Amino acid sequence: MPKIVNELTGVPRTLLLPLRGRAEAQAHPYPLFQDPLSVEWLKLVGWDTELDPLYGKAGEASTIVAAIRTYHHDQIASSHIANHSHPVVVELGAGLSSRFHRVGQNTYRWLELDLPVVTKLRSKLDTETQQHQFISASVMDFDWMDALPKVSPENILFIAEGLLMYLDINEVQQLISVMRSRFPGATLDMEVIGNSAKQLYTIFDQIGAPLKWFINDEEDLTAMGLQVVNSWSMYQLYQERWPWYWKSLLKFLTQFPYFRNSYLIVETKL
C-alpha cells in the first residue's frame, strides 16, 4: 500500500502522533503493552515530517506519555469489559487506535468512530467484523449514536482519547448533553488539558489543528453535568517509566494543581 500520509490534514493529521508514540514504545525493554500493529501501521502510513516540532523535539518524553496514556486507557477498558454482561466500547475520534486488538476480544461490540478520511484509512489497515465496527462520522453529527447496539447504557464505555480538546466549549457541552440524554449512566473516559498548559499547545495552530477547550480542574466537568468517578494526572501515572532525572521533579511538581491539572485522564458517568 502506498504511503497516504499526505492525505491527512487538520485534526486527522494528529493521529500520527499517538501512532508513532505507541510504535516507538515497543522498543522499551519492558513495554507496558504489546502493540505490533502500531509498528506495522506506521510503516505503511508513513510519517509526516512537518509534525516533528510536535513530536521530534520532545523525543523520549513524547514516547513515554504515549505509552502511559495508552496503557491507562487500556486498563479502564479492560475493567469495564470484565465488569459488564454485554460490554460495548466506543472510541470517539479513534484515529488509528489498535486498542481493540489488545484488550477488546471479550466485548459484545467495539466501535471506532472517526471522520470518513480516517475510517477510509483504517479500512485499508484493519478488518471490520460484526464485533469490531467502523463508523464514519463527525462526533458532532449525532446520528452516529443510532448505530450503537441496543444495550443498557451502563454497558457502554465511551473513550475520548485526544479528542475533546479540538472542540470548543459549546460543542463539548452539546455533545455531553446529548450523550447524557441518550445514554444515561454510561461511562465516558476522557482526556482534558488544563488552562495552565494552554500556551504549550499553541504549536498545534501551525498544523491547522488548534486546541480549543481547556479546563481549570474537575469541577468544570461537574458543571457540565458529568459525575467524576476517577481522575489521574498524566504525570502521576507510572512514574517509574520516566528516567531517574525526571522522577523526583514530577513527584514534586504534581503536588501543585497548576501542574497536576495540565493533563488529566478523567473517568466520568453520563
Side-chain angles (χ1 to χ4, degrees):
M1 183 183 74
K3 291 182 173 58
I4 53 176
V5 64
N6 294 331
E7 296 180 17
L8 300 173
T9 60
V11 175
R13 195 179 185 188
T14 65
L15 67 79
L16 294 168
L17 298 168
L19 179 63
R20 176 176 170 180
R22 298 197 319 270
E24 293 193 352
Q26 298 306 291
H28 192 283
Y30 305 101
L32 283 169
F33 54 89
Q34 300 295 324
D35 193 1
L37 281 178
S38 65
V39 178
E40 176 186 342
W41 290 355
L42 183 61
K43 289 178 181 177
L44 291 170
V45 174
W47 174 249
D48 185 343
T49 56
E50 290 187 9
L51 296 181
D52 281 343
L54 287 168
Y55 190 97
K57 289 184 178 179
E60 183 181 20
S62 292
T63 301
I64 293 171
V65 169
I68 288 172
R69 68 192 288 230
T70 299
Y71 182 67
H72 199 64
H73 290 295
D74 282 3
Q75 298 307 296
I76 293 171
S78 294
S79 177
H80 176 83
I81 293 164
N83 288 289
H84 292 84
S85 58
H86 290 80
V88 173
V89 177
V90 185
E91 293 202 79
L92 304 175
L96 291 181
S97 169
S98 48
R99 180 163 290 115
F100 168 77
H101 299 283
R102 291 192 301 276
V103 303
Q105 300 307 306
N106 292 324
T107 47
Y108 176 61
R109 293 287 188 275
W110 190 294
L111 298 99
E112 312 274 7
L113 170 73
D114 215 316
L115 296 170
V117 66
V118 177
T119 304
K120 178 182 176 183
L121 173 56
R122 174 179 287 278
S123 296
K124 295 178 179 180
L125 301 167
D126 205 356
T127 302
E128 190 170 16
T129 66
Q130 184 177 5
Q131 181 190 30
H132 182 208
Q133 300 176 4
F134 313 154
I135 304 176
S136 293
S138 164
V139 72
M140 297 304 297
D141 294 334
F142 301 135
D143 287 348
W144 63 262
M145 298 180 188
D146 297 332
L148 271 62
K150 307 304 180 186
V151 298
S152 172
E154 289 79 8
N155 285 285
I156 303 174
L157 167 66
F158 296 98
I159 301 177
E161 178 185 6
L163 168 68
L164 299 179
M165 59 282 294
Y166 295 106
L167 307 178
D168 65 40
I169 187 171
N170 294 323
E171 291 174 317
V172 175
Q173 180 65 80
Q174 185 183 11
L175 176 61
I176 288 172
S177 297
V178 174
M179 290 174 67
R180 287 185 66 217
S181 69
R182 293 285 301 270
F183 310 105
T187 298
L188 172 60
D189 165 30
M190 60 200 299
E191 291 183 355
V192 292
I193 302 297
N195 273 304
S196 58
K198 182 182 290 189
Q199 293 306 313
L200 297 177
Y201 290 94
T202 56
I203 193 169
F204 279 80
D205 298 356
Q206 300 172 20
I207 64 163
L211 273 56
K212 302 175 182 177
W213 180 54
F214 303 86
I215 68 166
N216 291 312
D217 54 34
E218 292 89 339
E219 291 183 7
D220 289 353
L221 304 179
T222 302
M224 300 179 91
L226 294 170
Q227 176 190 345
V228 175
V229 178
N230 288 299
S231 183
W232 304 268
S233 172
M234 184 67 67
Y235 304 109
Q236 289 175 324
L237 290 167
Y238 316 110
Q239 288 186 348
E240 70 276 3
R241 307 303 291 193
W242 292 89
W244 64 268
Y245 47 84
W246 274 96
K247 291 178 186 176
S248 297
L249 180 61
L250 289 174
K251 188 173 183 179
F252 172 73
L253 289 175
T254 50
Q255 297 178 77
F256 304 98
Y258 183 88
F259 186 81
R260 175 200 174 269
N261 298 340
S262 63
Y263 193 162
L264 300 174
I265 295 177
V266 189
E267 182 183 356
T268 70
K269 288 287 187 182
L270 295 171

